[in-house]
Amino acid sequence: MLKIFNFFRVLYSFFKFANANDVVKFFNIHKSSKIFFSRKTKIDTANIEENVSIDFFKGSLKKLTIGRGSYLSGELIVYGYNGTLQIGKYCSMADRLVLICGESFHQSKRLSTYPFPFMSPFKNYDIKDKLFDSTSSFPETKIIIGNDVSIGEDVLITKNVQIGNGSVIAAKSVLIHDVPPYAIVIGNPATIVSYRYSKKEIEMIEKIKWWNWSTKKIIENIHIFKKTGNELNKELERIIKNIYLV
């Protein structure tokens, strides 16, 4: 019974997933990273740093960049064409993340938003070139997710939104505006409910930029990642002091 189950699991994976060679024109994916691309994915350029893990990626992008250590447990779906997606280092992202990163064939300023060339009976006629240019000529849009960002389940992020370092995006939030660093946002549309740290602490963390530390340095300083409140503040001050002493 187990052999039959494994057979169908492998067969399912074969039809659902594609090799990077098949869906990405130019890529630099670190050997320690694992991204499972949908066969319906199309990316011009991808740069993936070490220890990145994405369970399922589907969509079209001009450029994809993901920093080391970032992971997504579940599905990441991108809608639109000719967009750029930049995800920083050590981001934690949950299932069903949907991004509107690029323009679509539903043009709201035209007489109709209906995608005639792709729907019956119109798709049987040679009309696509009469309505749309190549997707590479679509206006370029961008989504930027900073470092150490936490994103809950069922989040929607719209085009040209920038999420600052250390932000926390609550589950089921809809982002239509930029999110400041270390803000905690929730809702539809997402609004700021608080910040993770004081202004002084945020300034110190932004100076330290721990996400740029080597793995060795993070391990050597792993104790600070457990601290909160005054204890964390003291550690940040100590590190800042050492930076200026060097």
Side-chain angles (χ1 to χ4, degrees), residues 22 25 33 35 38 41 48 53 59 66 76 85 97 108-109 123-124 131-132 144 148 173 180 189 204 206 219 230:
D22 299 325
K25 288 183 180 179
S33 294
I35 300 183
S38 162
T41 293
I48 312 298
S53 175
I66 306 179
L76 193 168
L85 172 59
L97 175 59
S108 61
K109 293 183 179 180
K123 65 180 182 180
N124 298 321
L131 289 175
F132 300 104
I144 299 176
D148 189 33
S173 295
M204 288 192 289
E206 289 288 85
I219 293 172
N230 290 333

Side-chain angles (χ1 to χ4, degrees), residues 12-177:
Y12 172 76
S13 298
F14 175 79
F15 285 106
K16 184 176 182 179
F17 301 120
N19 292 322
N21 293 307
D22 299 325
V23 295
V24 186
K25 288 183 180 179
F26 307 101
F27 63 87
N28 179 19
I29 301 177
H30 194 274
K31 62 182 181 180
S32 64
S33 294
K34 295 181 179 179
I35 300 183
F36 293 93
F37 292 106
S38 162
R39 290 186 175 277
K40 295 183 179 180
T41 293
K42 183 179 180 182
I43 300 173
D44 288 345
T45 305
N47 183 25
I48 312 298
E49 295 183 358
E50 63 267 32
N51 297 307
V52 170
S53 175
I54 306 292
D55 287 351
F56 182 77
F57 183 102
K58 177 184 176 182
S60 178
L61 287 170
K62 180 178 181 180
K63 185 176 182 180
L64 171 65
T65 304
I66 306 179
R68 74 172 183 261
S70 290
Y71 71 93
L72 187 141
S73 301
E75 295 186 347
L76 193 168
I77 308 297
V78 178
Y79 292 104
Y81 299 89
N82 210 33
T84 293
L85 172 59
Q86 178 180 322
I87 300 175
K89 302 171 183 177
Y90 299 105
C91 290
S92 307
M93 300 167 284
D95 195 12
R96 297 182 296 279
L97 175 59
V98 176
L99 309 177
I100 310 298
C101 190
E103 293 294 328
S104 72
F105 292 103
H106 305 280
Q107 304 285 330
S108 61
K109 293 183 179 180
R110 296 187 179 186
L111 178 62
S112 174
T113 60
Y114 195 78
F116 291 98
F118 309 101
M119 307 301 294
S120 295
F122 307 100
K123 65 180 182 180
N124 298 321
Y125 299 86
D126 187 20
I127 63 172
K128 182 179 178 181
D129 292 342
K130 296 179 181 179
L131 289 175
F132 300 104
D133 296 326
S134 169
T135 54
S136 62
S137 67
F138 282 20
E140 293 186 25
T141 62
K142 182 181 295 186
I143 289 177
I144 299 176
I145 299 173
N147 304 288
D148 189 33
V149 173
S150 176
I151 301 178
E153 290 185 341
D154 298 305
V155 167
L156 170 64
I157 304 174
T158 58
K159 58 190 176 184
N160 295 321
V161 164
Q162 182 167 346
I163 302 173
N165 295 329
S167 300
V168 175
I169 315 301
K172 301 186 184 302
S173 295
V174 176
L175 276 62
I176 60 175
H177 300 297

